[in-house]
Amino acid sequence: MLAVHGGPVLGLHLMFGPDVGSVAKQVLVYCDGGQPETYQWLFEQLQVWGARLHRISTLEHDQNMVFIQALRYFTTFAYGLHLAEENVQLEQLLALYSPIYRLELAMISRLFVQDPRNSTPTSSCLRKRISR
């Protein structure tokens, strides 16, 4: 982006989902780009709201996100594959599951319905690592 845009550039990765009501105690990863002095006000405001800001390079971001997402996706995929191969009765499992296990099942469902054509560079790298 820096090669085609001469103005301010900021890479910002929110490490929480859209259902979180506040940035207080939430992690936000950022990568400085062009003209960082123009967006310092944003960092100051996020810190007032209690956000935890972590500055890393774009390379470090991509390397860390591959690891974080790979581990999460691998365990979710393995769990889903095991459920499919065991031919379990999902209705009975749901009746027995606690809320945290229901959340895990929702994550399994979400992973298995995603279209791989809508991938990002991180997810492409993730697929390559998992398929080794």
Side-chain angles (χ1 to χ4, degrees):
M1 180 164 307
L2 293 173
V4 296
H5 177 65
V9 175
L10 170 64
L12 190 60
H13 189 160
L14 312 179
M15 300 301 293
F16 52 93
D19 57 338
V20 174
S22 166
V23 296
K25 298 183 181 179
Q26 299 299 321
V27 175
L28 288 88
V29 176
Y30 71 95
C31 306
D32 280 321
Q35 303 175 13
E37 66 281 355
T38 61
Y39 49 80
Q40 292 307 308
W41 64 270
L42 177 61
F43 293 154
E44 292 166 10
Q45 184 59 58
L46 289 167
Q47 288 174 325
V48 166
W49 290 334
R52 294 177 23 211
L53 301 173
H54 293 278
R55 179 180 181 260
I56 59 176
S57 72
T58 55
L59 179 61
E60 290 170 319
H61 168 271
D62 292 348
Q63 290 170 340
N64 283 291
M65 291 307 116
V66 166
F67 176 76
I68 290 168
Q69 292 171 345
L71 188 57
R72 176 72 262 155
Y73 289 155
F74 178 77
T75 57
T76 302
F77 184 80
Y79 190 179
L81 186 61
H82 184 68
L83 284 175
E85 289 179 351
E86 290 297 316
N87 196 24
V88 298
Q89 295 179 21
L90 287 177
E91 298 80 20
Q92 190 172 39
L93 280 180
L94 284 170
L96 302 173
Y97 272 180
S98 67
I100 193 69
Y101 289 113
R102 285 176 180 265
L103 179 61
E104 184 71 29
L105 191 57
M107 293 194 55
I108 291 167
S109 298
R110 182 174 173 231
L111 177 66
F112 280 89
V113 299
Q114 289 180 1
D115 186 341
R117 293 173 296 183
N118 297 333
S119 65
T120 64
T122 299
S123 60
S124 296
C125 185
L126 167 65
R127 272 195 301 284
K128 287 177 189 171
R129 286 190 175 192
I130 288 175
S131 65
R132 285 188 208 165

